[in-house]
Amino acid sequence: LPLLVSSSPVESLKTLAAALGLARSTVSRALRDDPRLPAATRARVRAHAAQVGYQPSAAYSRLMSDVRARRPG
């Protein structure tokens, strides 16, 4: 499976997932080092993210953190 490299300096989670042929949720979990995913998948996602210069959106991370904090339960 060839990996796509974007000419854009910023990759989105969506384009990263598409390049790897994975779901966005899988890529997100891999980047968070979720132990539910196989180690090989986590390594493949992290390697490709580093290769294309993926940087998570700080604004989105803050937003999701706030949303999770307000969830009941």
Side-chain angles (χ1 to χ4, degrees):
L1 174 68
L3 298 179
L4 304 175
V5 177
S6 171
S7 59
S8 162
V10 178
E11 283 283 312
S12 72
L13 193 63
K14 182 179 179 179
T15 58
L16 191 62
L20 291 164
L22 298 169
R24 281 185 286 181
S25 59
T26 300
V27 172
S28 176
R29 288 181 180 131
L31 292 171
R32 288 183 280 122
D33 207 26
D34 189 320
R36 293 178 291 179
L37 294 176
T41 300
R42 294 187 310 235
R44 184 173 139 228
V45 170
R46 287 176 174 266
H48 185 64
Q51 178 185 356
V52 299
Y54 173 77
Q55 294 290 321
S57 165
Y60 183 76
S61 295
R62 279 192 304 275
L63 173 67
M64 292 312 295
S65 178
D66 289 346
V67 168
R68 282 190 292 268
R70 284 185 240 157
R71 254 189 229 158

